Structure formats: C-alpha cells, structure tokens
Amino acid sequence: MSQHGDAHEADSGGVVSVPHRLLRRQVRDIASGVEGELMAVVREDVSDTPARERWVVLAYVRGPSGREISTAVANIEAV
C-alpha cells in the first residue's frame, strides 16, 4: 500500500488509480459540458520537484469523438 492509503498504485511514477462509483458509466463534466464515459479517476502528483509533492484527483472522460479530457473529479456528475 502506498503512503497515500491506496492499494491501486500504478508504476508510472506519481499516478495512483482511485476507485469511483461512476467508472465506466455515462457522466457529464459540468465545467465543459462534455458528456461521455468515465474511463479513470487518478490521484496524480503534479509537483515540479520531488522534494514537495502536490497531489490532485483527476477524472478522465471519453467523449463521443473518442477523445479523452481530464477534469477535476468534483466536476463529474451522472447523466
């Protein structure tokens, strides 16, 4: 288990998968209005230096075009 309390840590340095009740379901990003399938929720270290971590939780939504967007997980709502 990682120091951030999640057993789903990926090996891609600074990215941790987060379980979410809407994964693989249709959602809307309220910030952009994009609707699509919630593909992943991750906790990602976006700091520019290893000395100071800065973690954010992002949602990845695949829209009708097939292109994925990222947004704050708080912006996601079920359709």
Side-chain angles (χ1 to χ4, degrees):
M1 189 174 294
S2 77
Q3 68 183 20
H4 300 286
D6 194 300
H8 303 285
E9 187 165 356
D11 289 331
S12 56
V15 177
V16 178
S17 294
V18 177
H20 195 280
R21 66 182 180 84
L22 295 175
L23 279 173
R24 302 292 183 198
R25 299 179 88 181
Q26 292 297 304
V27 297
R28 177 182 301 110
D29 170 25
I30 60 173
S32 67
V34 170
E35 292 186 13
E37 183 177 350
L38 181 60
M39 302 304 293
V41 176
V42 298
R43 186 178 310 133
E44 185 172 347
D45 180 6
V46 296
S47 66
D48 56 359
T49 174
R52 190 183 78 200
E53 296 179 345
R54 182 169 171 252
W55 293 85
V56 295
V57 181
L58 297 173
Y60 287 86
V61 177
R62 182 175 293 160
S65 69
R67 187 172 189 180
E68 288 186 6
I69 64 155
S70 62
T71 190
V73 74
N75 289 342
I76 297 300
E77 65 182 13
V79 177

